[in-house]
Amino acid sequence: MQLSPLVHPSEELSKEEISRYSRHLLIPDVGLEGQQRLKNSKVLVIGAGGLGSPTLLYLAAAGVGTLGIIDFDIVDESNLQRQVIHRQQDIGRPKCRSAQDSVKALNPYIQVRIHDERLETTNAIDIISDYDLVIDGTDNFSTRYLVNDACVLAGKPYVWGSIFRFEGQASVFWEDAPGGRGLNYRDLYPEPPPPEMAPSCAEGGVLGILCASIGAIMATEAIKLITGLGNTLLGRLAVYDALDMTFRFIPLRRAPVRTPITRLIDYQAFCGLPQSTTGGKPNVPTISALELKEMRDCSVAMQLIDVRGIQEWNIVHIEGANHIPKDRMMSEEVLARLNKDELIVLHCKMGVRSRDILMEMRKRGFTNVKSLDGGILAWIRDVDQTLPSY
C-alpha cells in the first residue's frame, strides 16, 4: 500500500550532494524534495551480515543521512562468501566497525552511528526510538520477535527480510500505519517454530548472492517509506526462489486473535531455546576442546559422535568420530546401540545442536553424556589448526 512520506525534507543539499545524487534528482518522483527526505532520515540496520551488507551499502549510496549499525559479532572468513561490506583485512574486527569504514569510504556525506552490542530487552526500545525506520536483517527468531515488539512499542515501521539456501522473503511491518492498516511480524508468524525446525544459515547454508537480491528489496522498501514513493510491501509477503527465478506475493492480514504487545518478554524462552544459568552457560554438561584432547591422549574410553549433516561432515571432521546426523540420533535403533555406561561426547559445529540432543538423551535415561563446548570450531581453534574452518 502507498503511504505518506515518513520523513520531512532537510533544508538543503550542498553543491557536492547535488552532483553526487543527480541521477536521483532527475527522476520526477524523487527530485530534490525526495533526496532531501533521504538526507534527513535516520535508519537503523540490525545486523551487518548477509542482508545488512547490501542494505547498508545501497542506503549509504542513496544518501540516507544517518545510518545506525548494531552488531556485536566479529568478521569471520566464512562471512566473506556473502557479507560484501567486509574485506579480507577485516577478519577478526567487529562487524559494526568494519561496516562503518566501508560505508564512510563509499559516502563521506552521511553520519554513521555504531552500536557494538547485542540487542536486548534492556536496550532495544531506547536504541530503536532514536531512528525513523528499522531494517531487520537478523537470522534468528528470538531477535526477530524482540525487534518486532520493540518497534510496536516505539511506534516505528520496519523492513524485514530472511534467507535460507535458495529462498528469501521480505515484507514491511508497521503496527501504527495510517488508516488502521497496521501489521506486525506476529501476524505472519504468531508463534515461533520449534528450535529444531529453524536452522540458521550457519547450519543449513545459503547461496551468497541471494543476500544481494533480498537486501536490494529491503533497501528499496526503506527508500519508498522515507520518500512516500510507490506501494510498499506492508500487507504483502514477497517470496523469492532463486532456482526457479520466481517471485510470489502473498497477501497478509491481521491475525484473527491478537495478543496486544504491552512489554518486552524473555524471547529465548518464547522461542523454546535453552535457558542460561549464571555466567551465561547452558545448564548442560559440557567438555572443552582441550579437555577432550587430553582424554583422547590418555585413551579414555568414550563414544565421540558428530551430529552434523553429511555436507558439513564432508567439509571437515574430527578423526575417530562417528557420524550420526541429528535427525537420526534420537531413533530407537541408534539409541539401542549406544553404551549408556560409557562416556558419550556429542559435537556439532558450534555446540547448539549437540546441546539439544543431549537434553533429549537425558530424558531417555542417558546420564553420562557431554556436549563439546563450541563444537568442532572450538576443536579447530584450540586443538588442530590444520583443519579447515567453515
Side-chain angles (χ1 to χ4, degrees):
M1 60 181 66
Q2 186 163 15
L3 300 168
S4 300
L6 186 64
V7 179
H8 294 294
S10 63
E11 293 184 359
E12 61 181 12
L13 299 179
S14 67
K15 180 184 71 173
E16 291 78 14
E17 288 172 323
I18 289 175
S19 176
R20 174 178 285 261
Y21 306 126
S22 61
R23 299 306 187 270
H24 273 176
L25 305 182
L26 292 170
I27 303 174
D29 293 337
V30 179
L32 186 63
E33 182 177 297
Q35 193 62 49
Q36 288 173 320
R37 294 184 192 277
L38 289 171
K39 179 179 179 179
N40 206 32
S41 66
K42 296 185 292 184
V43 177
L44 175 66
V45 178
I46 303 176
L51 291 176
S53 291
T55 302
L56 282 165
L57 290 172
Y58 271 103
L59 291 181
V64 168
T66 300
L67 279 174
I69 306 171
I70 180 166
D71 200 311
F72 67 95
D73 200 4
I74 63 172
V75 180
D76 182 81
E77 188 169 21
S78 64
N79 300 149
L80 303 183
Q81 166 255 8
R82 64 201 178 280
Q83 299 181 17
V84 295
I85 204 166
H86 310 296
R87 300 291 182 265
Q88 181 74 21
Q89 61 267 26
D90 295 317
I91 292 174
R93 296 184 65 204
K95 285 186 179 179
C96 62
R97 298 191 181 277
S98 169
Q100 179 188 36
D101 290 347
S102 295
V103 167
K104 294 298 288 184
L106 177 62
N107 190 345
Y109 300 108
I110 65 175
Q111 297 182 29
V112 181
R113 301 177 184 173
I114 60 172
H115 305 272
D116 188 3
E117 56 189 311
R118 185 192 296 269
L119 195 70
E120 305 274 12
T121 57
T122 54
N123 63 10
I125 294 178
D126 286 341
I127 294 175
I128 286 172
S129 295
D130 202 30
Y131 293 88
D132 301 306
L133 170 70
V134 175
I135 295 180
D136 178 14
T138 58
D139 65 352
N140 64 86
F141 280 92
S142 60
T143 304
R144 289 171 186 166
Y145 282 102
L146 168 59
V147 172
N148 175 78
D149 293 2
C151 284
V152 170
L153 295 175
K156 303 294 182 178
Y158 74 102
V159 181
W160 164 81
S162 71
I163 51 175
F164 184 71
R165 292 185 174 165
F166 300 104
E167 186 175 281
Q169 301 179 353
S171 191
V172 170
F173 298 105
W174 191 5
E175 181 71 7
D176 296 337
R181 298 172 293 179
L183 297 168
N184 71 69
Y185 183 74
R186 292 175 182 266
D187 291 309
L188 176 60
Y189 294 113
E191 300 288 338
E196 64 273 12
M197 299 298 293
S200 67
C201 293
E203 296 179 4
V206 62
L207 184 69
I209 202 166
L210 182 64
C211 300
S213 302
I214 301 302
I217 292 174
M218 296 169 74
T220 302
E221 290 301 297
I223 290 172
K224 288 159 60 181
L225 286 166
I226 292 166
T227 59
L229 287 172
N231 293 308
T232 72
L233 282 175
L234 182 64
R236 293 183 294 161
L237 174 68
V239 180
Y240 170 58
D241 187 323
L243 289 185
D244 291 338
M245 194 52 69
T246 58
F247 277 96
R248 292 181 293 134
F249 293 92
I250 302 171
L252 299 180
R253 300 287 184 268
R254 284 198 172 202
V257 178
R258 293 174 114 227
T259 301
I261 298 167
T262 58
R263 62 185 179 88
L264 302 183
I265 61 175
D266 184 338
Y267 295 93
Q268 293 286 108
F270 178 68
C271 292
L273 299 173
Q275 299 303 290
S276 298
T277 57
T278 57
K281 292 292 185 181
N283 188 23
V284 296
T286 60
I287 184 173
S288 72
L290 292 175
E291 290 171 334
L292 177 60
K293 179 182 184 302
E294 182 177 352
M295 294 178 70
R296 281 163 61 95
D297 290 344
C298 294
S299 300
V300 175
M302 71 174 72
Q303 303 167 81
L304 179 60
I305 301 176
D306 187 331
V307 300
R308 299 173 301 149
I310 185 61
Q311 291 85 2
E312 295 174 276
W313 169 270
N314 289 338
I315 293 172
V316 61
H317 56 266
I318 300 173
E319 185 177 356
N322 294 316
H323 181 228
I324 308 177
K326 179 181 178 181
D327 57 358
R328 289 180 44 220
M329 188 65 198
M330 296 310 299
S331 69
E332 294 297 336
E333 178 186 359
V334 169
L335 293 179
R337 296 202 309 262
L338 300 178
N339 183 355
K340 287 187 177 182
D341 297 324
E342 189 175 75
L343 173 64
I344 299 173
V345 177
L346 306 172
H347 77 274
C348 58
K349 180 177 182 178
M350 294 179 287
V352 177
R353 285 169 284 178
S354 58
R355 178 194 62 201
D356 293 342
I357 293 175
L358 186 151
M359 299 299 288
E360 289 299 318
M361 292 180 69
R362 274 183 160 185
K363 298 176 184 178
R364 307 286 188 92
F366 288 83
T367 58
N368 196 14
V369 187
K370 292 187 177 184
S371 172
L372 177 59
D373 192 15
I376 195 171
L377 294 186
W379 178 268
I380 296 168
R381 181 190 67 234
D382 299 336
V383 177
D384 190 353
Q385 292 83 10
T386 65
L387 296 176
S389 185
Y390 72 104

